Amino acid sequence: MRLSMWLRFMVLLLVLSGPVAFAQVIEPDNLEGGIIASAGSALGDADCEKPAFRRENSDGYNDLYFELILDTCRVINYEVYSIKQGTVLTEVEPQELDVDDLICVWDEDALHGANTDTWTFTGTYEAVIVDAVDNCDYARVRTNDTEGIINWSVYRVLEPGIFTVTDSGYNEHDVVRLEYNRIDLDNYDDVEDGDCVGLGDTVLYTVCLTNDTPECYNDVIARVYFDKGVTYAGADWQIDGQLNPYPPDPWYDFETHSYVWELGEICENDSVCLDIEVEVNTASEPGMELVNVAELTAWVCRTIDDPNENAEPNAVITICATEVIARSVEKTAVCCWGDYDTIYVDQYATGSGDSGTSWADAYNGTDGLRKALKRIVKSSCTGPYTIYIASGNYFPGEKEDDSFILPEGTQIFGGFPTGGCDFNQRNPKVYEAALIGRLEDGTFVDTVVTMGHDSLLDGLTVEKGFTNNIYGNTANFSLNNCVARNCKKYGVYALNGNVTIERSKIQENERDGIYHSGTGFTLDVMNSWVMRNGRFGVNCTLSTPNIKNSIVSESDMKEQGSEGIRIVEPAGLPVLYNNTIANNKGAGLFFTKTGVTDPNDHVEVKNCILY
């Protein structure tokens, strides 16, 4: 049978009591070739999307890879049989494919990838994608462009057949088997297309299933997972028209916020529907979506080849387990209710909302700021947005390339205690909100904060990035009442943008405290302290610094020493007023500009102490 290979793979994994993982025949990093097998459940997130498989190319390119993304609202199980370029053909077994399975062929060479002369298939197929990054209905393939050349094709099986690789010398091949919902499951709301719901509105969800298969399924259970932004009235005690109380609906599961519907046996042509009414609550995120997930499970038995080494020829066994047999997702648009352009973040908030709409329902946890920024990016509400963030520690993600990326016009204000306070009572020194680049596993993100155009950080501590604590490119941005410290390279790194830094400390970064570059752009530093940075305190190339009422001290205290302020080829006239530039190991100030003959066209220095 078609899924016998996948089932054997899964049974072996169960016998070994291990999770679903890659089963590698040959080490995948071996550029001489190899085969990688992968299988698993396609249950993903509420967006019906799951990255199921990824591998690098065989030619040593850094940014060229194959990735399979599944539509988990349609696909139940998947299997990948990946054949790397250069694999010995005697190691490549022919693969049995069924309707809607995929054949993917790709390579970085313009002459390869799109051709069909390196494999054969005894069934019929159609080309779904040829040389284009696009959706493939239920799955898609992603590769990074390499030197402007990438050829790849995706074919969908129309009639079953046997796939055979005839030449693995210059193409990468990937066979994808997919198993779909076994029962037709619909999940929809009563909201008209284009409309949205707001606080207190009701939504009627209808879940219908029809068994179009000739099979009967036993112990069928439908479970409807509600979004946190809705309340099911049956979850609590109710009062009827005669003022008599009646208990909560026994089919509601409080822990998972879901409704459990036991259906028993479902056979061919059986059809049934369920209506559930809910009310929009304060956990709904303005401009976002309510996600309602319906899922069917059943007791499923399969007959497979006996995986035991000592089994008789053609011996089979039957395995039974509760499996997901269908899944459907309905998304309902939420209106821009309340003061939607102000978002609240509090690591220790205990409200039930976690929607960012008030201090009581602030986005909580160490990922609270990430949730707020995600809403700004995905919300249908118009900005610009202001974020209030309470004291706590916040991390930009779990990977080295994660960063707090500020959309254009975003302003973030820290200095609030847990639970919040009036704006004029905030105190960043007492209630420190730290954006931290050193992750809990000891690794570092490359850049902690990436500034957007016209964005602002006010009252935040940004620390422990690997390359940059704060980074901006082609963006004007401002830092007020901030601390940028303990980065392995730059406290602030800005290119081609006007930057303003006021009442801030840029300290103890291992390279420059502030690096600023860009012809015609200015760096304004006022009432700030740039101290104990590992190389230059302030380093400007091509740009024009204006530094006033500030301290630049103790730059590069190593033996060779570097300057406190370094200015190279400024486009305008740098201005230094009322500064103390002291205890820098090299010089306090270094300046160079090609072709300057006017002694007044250097640096304007007034009321400064250089020590």
Side-chain angles (χ1 to χ4, degrees):
M1 59 190 297
R2 182 177 82 86
L3 284 174
S4 62
M5 176 182 170
W6 178 81
L7 289 167
R8 284 198 298 271
F9 183 76
M10 294 298 291
V11 169
L12 288 172
L13 287 172
L14 292 171
V15 170
L16 294 172
S17 300
V20 175
F22 295 130
Q24 298 169 177
V25 179
I26 298 177
E27 174 61 40
D29 293 329
N30 181 352
L31 299 184
E32 296 301 318
I35 300 169
I36 305 174
S38 177
S41 166
L43 296 182
D45 58 22
D47 291 330
C48 299
E49 188 172 279
K50 175 182 179 178
F53 179 77
R54 170 173 168 163
R55 74 166 171 86
E56 306 300 326
N57 69 97
S58 302
D59 293 315
Y61 290 98
N62 291 329
D63 296 318
L64 179 61
Y65 59 89
F66 168 86
E67 187 174 24
L68 176 70
I69 310 293
L70 294 176
D71 178 352
T72 58
C73 288
R74 291 188 59 195
V75 178
I76 299 300
N77 296 309
Y78 68 91
E79 176 191 1
V80 179
Y81 186 74
S82 183
I83 307 153
K84 302 191 74 173
Q85 179 177 332
T87 303
V88 178
L89 290 178
T90 56
E91 298 175 351
V92 182
E93 298 180 0
Q95 300 295 308
E96 182 180 355
L97 300 183
D98 206 342
V99 176
D100 284 340
D101 287 346
L102 297 180
I103 301 168
C104 305
V105 186
W106 57 287
D107 192 74
E108 83 290 342
D109 194 307
L111 299 178
H112 303 160
N115 55 36
T116 59
D117 60 359
T118 62
W119 53 277
T120 61
F121 184 61
T122 60
T124 61
Y125 57 87
E126 64 176 347
V128 182
I129 303 175
V130 178
D131 295 335
V133 178
D134 201 353
N135 286 328
C136 179
D137 197 21
Y138 48 80
R140 66 176 179 261
V141 181
R142 291 174 175 169
T143 67
N144 283 347
D145 195 5
T146 300
E147 300 178 357
I149 300 173
I150 178 65
N151 269 318
W152 58 283
S153 303
V154 179
Y155 305 93
R156 179 190 287 121
V157 174
L158 299 178
E159 294 180 359
I162 303 298
F163 171 86
T164 304
V165 173
T166 59
D167 185 345
S168 64
Y170 58 89
N171 271 345
E172 317 269 3
H173 303 81
D174 297 274
V175 173
V176 183
R177 295 181 179 84
L178 301 171
E179 185 180 12
Y180 298 90
N181 290 349
R182 300 187 187 91
I183 289 181
D184 185 26
L185 179 66
D186 288 326
N187 175 21
Y188 54 92
D189 60 33
D190 64 343
V191 180
E192 294 291 334
D193 291 344
D195 287 349
C196 61
V197 294
L199 196 63
D201 289 345
T202 59
V203 180
L204 180 67
Y205 288 111
T206 299
V207 179
C208 293
L209 64 94
T210 302
N211 186 5
D212 294 327
T213 74
E215 299 180 59
C216 285
Y217 294 93
N218 296 315
D219 298 330
V220 178
I221 297 176
R223 185 184 289 267
V224 181
Y225 294 93
F226 301 123
D227 191 283
K228 66 178 182 179
V230 300
T231 301
Y232 174 56
D236 206 347
W237 282 83
Q238 303 291 305
I239 303 294
D240 64 18
Q242 304 299 318
L243 300 182
N244 297 314
Y246 58 93
D249 190 331
W251 300 117
Y252 174 76
D253 183 356
F254 182 84
E255 291 186 1
T256 60
H257 192 36
S258 65
Y259 191 87
V260 182
W261 187 21
E262 296 184 359
L263 299 173
E265 184 181 63
I266 300 293
C267 291
E268 184 177 7
N269 297 323
D270 283 349
S271 180
V272 64
C273 292
L274 170 71
D275 290 331
I276 308 175
E277 188 174 81
V278 295
E279 182 177 307
V280 180
N281 62 37
T282 58
S284 59
E285 300 174 273
M288 300 291 276
E289 294 175 321
L290 303 172
V291 180
N292 194 67
V293 181
E295 199 170 83
L296 286 184
T297 60
W299 184 253
V300 177
C301 295
R302 301 174 183 270
T303 300
I304 65 170
D305 296 338
D306 193 332
N308 297 314
E309 293 183 2
N310 300 322
E312 295 292 331
N314 302 318
V316 296
I317 62 173
T318 299
I319 58 171
C320 298
T322 298
E323 295 185 7
V324 175
I325 60 172
R327 192 166 186 259
S328 179
V329 175
E330 175 70 354
K331 297 180 180 180
T332 308
V334 178
C335 302
C336 299
W337 64 272
D339 186 16
Y340 62 82
D341 54 1
T342 299
I343 301 177
Y344 299 84
V345 175
D346 184 349
Q347 178 185 351
Y348 301 104
T350 57
S352 60
D354 190 24
S355 61
T357 53
S358 66
W359 282 119
D361 290 325
Y363 288 119
N364 56 26
T366 59
D367 62 343
L369 181 55
R370 273 184 277 163
K371 298 175 188 175
L373 294 172
K374 178 181 178 181
R375 197 229 286 184
I376 292 175
V377 171
K378 294 194 172 185
S379 174
S380 63
C381 307
T382 57
Y385 285 84
T386 298
I387 298 175
Y388 292 163
I389 183 168
S391 59
N393 295 329
Y394 302 91
F395 298 91
E398 299 174 351
K399 302 187 297 293
E400 294 178 1
D401 57 354
D402 286 332
S403 178
F404 292 117
I405 300 176
L406 275 57
E408 180 176 350
T410 301
Q411 298 183 333
I412 303 181
F413 293 91
F416 297 92
T418 293
C421 66
D422 291 337
F423 186 86
N424 58 9
Q425 294 178 321
R426 69 189 186 102
N427 188 330
K429 294 181 180 179
V430 176
Y431 307 113
E432 183 183 54
L435 314 184
I436 303 174
R438 188 176 189 274
L439 306 180
E440 293 176 328
D441 65 358
T443 60
F444 291 81
V445 299
D446 186 70
T447 297
V448 183
V449 179
T450 302
M451 304 296 290
H453 188 61
D454 290 335
S455 60
L456 166 70
L457 291 183
D458 191 320
L460 280 297
T461 294
V462 185
E463 62 182 4
K464 299 180 181 178
F466 187 83
T467 300
N468 312 295
N469 275 336
I470 299 169
Y471 172 80
N473 191 352
T474 64
N476 299 337
F477 65 87
S478 299
L479 308 176
N480 296 342
N481 306 299
C482 287
V483 177
R485 66 190 181 197
N486 298 327
C487 181
K488 288 188 172 295
K489 291 186 180 178
Y490 300 96
V492 179
Y493 191 100
L495 304 172
N496 303 316
N498 297 319
V499 177
T500 300
I501 299 175
E502 295 188 66
R503 298 180 299 279
S504 296
K505 289 184 178 181
I506 315 298
Q507 64 187 75
E508 297 171 341
N509 302 286
E510 294 186 19
R511 196 164 290 182
D512 298 347
I514 303 170
Y515 178 86
H516 188 253
S517 179
T519 302
F521 296 98
T522 59
L523 169 68
D524 295 317
V525 179
M526 294 168 284
N527 302 298
S528 296
W529 193 350
V530 183
M531 59 176 164
R532 294 196 292 274
N533 294 288
R535 193 170 66 172
F536 307 110
V538 179
N539 184 4
C540 290
T541 301
L542 304 176
S543 63
T544 304
N546 300 304
I547 304 174
K548 300 178 181 180
N549 307 310
S550 296
I551 301 173
V552 181
S553 67
E554 304 153 279
S555 300
D556 189 0
M557 299 304 290
K558 294 180 291 187
E559 184 175 349
Q560 63 270 29
S562 295
E563 295 80 22
I565 300 174
R566 184 175 186 266
I567 305 171
V568 177
E569 302 294 339
L573 178 66
V575 172
L576 306 181
Y577 288 176
N578 308 319
N579 299 305
T580 296
I581 307 169
N583 294 325
N584 299 284
K585 183 67 173 179
L589 170 63
F590 173 87
F591 171 87
T592 182
K593 185 172 183 180
T594 304
V596 174
T597 57
D598 186 344
N600 295 317
D601 192 16
H602 287 75
V603 182
E604 185 175 335
V605 181
K606 291 185 179 181
N607 301 321
C608 290
I609 298 173
L610 284 89
Y611 177 79

